[in-house]
Amino acid sequence: MERKKLLLHICCAPDASTPWPELIAEGYDAAGFFYGGNIQPRGEYEKRAEALSALALHTGAEVFSAPYLPERWLVAVEGLEDEPERGARCAVCFRVQLEAAARFASENGFPLLCTTLTISPHKDVRLINEIGAKLCAERGLTWLERIWRKKEGFRRSVEESKRLGLYRQNYCGCLFSLRSRAESGVKQQ
């Protein structure tokens, strides 16, 4: 039986540590896609990219990365710098990431697209799935809607990433989230 090709948008290795193997176990030929332009500073991006490479080796699946161009992400969220976490800036960030993944999927023969973003208890899964479905419809792709945080998905991803020794960040990745963490007294790892 031929396995269906699927591109899994991956925001970070810990969040992919449960969904990626599950999709493969379900029979998908699931390759990963890492955007990362929202992640700053560059050293943080590099830590996350390295962790994702380690996870790809563990899963035996291929991973693709978009070029690291944080200035493009900053232009996309211009005017939203003072938005609170989970506000309008986050919605734009989801769209930018999923748009890059949908473009890559359509240009490289992946008819299905899914994301790890829905594993986080801090993100709006309804909004993420709406954005993903819309972008896929525009490109003739099929959106595989999943809410990975169900069935203790987030807890399992934390445990699995610890077991695998993956770098686990303490902020979403953007400068504004980092600033918010610093202002609230949360130390960066």
Side-chain angles (χ1 to χ4, degrees), residues 144-159:
L144 184 63
E145 183 173 316
R146 294 293 173 93
I147 301 176
W148 295 109
R149 69 182 177 210
K150 286 184 174 181
K151 299 180 185 172
E152 305 221 15
F154 181 73
R155 182 191 55 76
R156 290 184 294 121
S157 75
V158 170
E159 291 171 0

Side-chain angles (χ1 to χ4, degrees), residues 62-97:
E62 195 167 14
V63 66
F64 303 94
S65 294
Y68 181 63
L69 300 169
E71 53 283 346
R72 287 188 184 171
W73 184 86
L74 287 167
V75 168
V77 299
E78 191 172 352
L80 302 171
E81 297 86 352
D82 294 323
E83 278 287 311
E85 291 298 305
R86 302 182 193 181
R89 183 183 61 248
C90 294
V92 171
C93 184
F94 299 153
R95 183 183 49 76
V96 167
Q97 291 184 63

